[in-house]
Amino acid sequence: LRRDLRTGRCQGCQGIIIGLNIILCVGEHLEVREAGETNVIIKQQLDAIKDSVKDWSKVVLAYEPVWAIGTGKTASPEQAEGRVLIADNGKENVSEEVSNAIRVQYGGSVNGKTAPGLIGQPNIDGFLVGGAALKPEFNDIIQTMNSPPETE
């Protein structure tokens, strides 16, 4: 989340304040993941917006690890379970109702090969697709969403 240097406000929060539906991305750099601090960073990012959100139904959260954006590196399905981190934070800092209802997408070099394993995770609701949306394999991602694998 970026802060506007003039106002000190979270830029993503501006859309929330004026009532827009937004996709808010949270995620960590590789050094943070390797240091085991992912949860700390995501909590800080969510704490930055929680007081600005009046209607959580207008917010979709995307767990998008910075180290995966445009690199071709994708988190393993287990690493991509950002919803668990987000849900735990939501229960602690907002409410269990919001935590259970919030939609969480995974973004971070999703492609036709990685989509089936990712969407098979019970806490990933969809994808925030970048460059793959401009390639023929985008059809594979769509097909995965139309018939996701069974989750346990």
Side-chain angles (χ1 to χ4, degrees), residues 17-127:
I17 290 167
I18 63 171
L20 296 177
N21 292 346
I22 68 162
I23 298 175
L24 188 68
C25 298
V26 297
E28 80 286 1
H29 290 273
L30 185 58
E31 313 80 69
V32 172
R33 176 168 289 282
E34 289 174 345
E37 298 294 318
T38 298
N39 294 15
V40 172
I41 293 301
I42 290 184
K43 181 179 182 336
Q44 289 173 353
Q45 292 168 343
L46 293 173
D47 283 349
I49 64 150
K50 71 179 182 183
D51 293 334
S52 298
V53 179
K54 304 299 180 235
D55 182 356
W56 283 93
S57 70
K58 293 183 176 235
V59 178
V60 173
L61 292 172
Y63 171 60
E64 189 167 23
V66 177
W67 54 267
I69 300 170
T71 64
K73 296 178 183 176
T74 304
S76 70
E78 295 76 22
Q79 290 173 323
E81 278 270 274
R83 182 181 176 101
V84 174
L85 303 174
I86 292 166
D88 287 348
N89 186 273
K91 282 180 191 169
E92 181 181 321
N93 293 304
V94 183
S95 74
E96 188 163 352
E97 180 183 6
V98 165
S99 174
N100 291 334
I102 196 80
R103 292 167 291 164
V104 178
Q105 299 180 343
Y106 173 76
S109 297
V110 175
N111 60 48
K113 292 179 181 162
T114 60
L118 292 166
I119 202 61
Q121 295 300 305
N123 294 305
I124 296 176
D125 301 317
F127 301 121

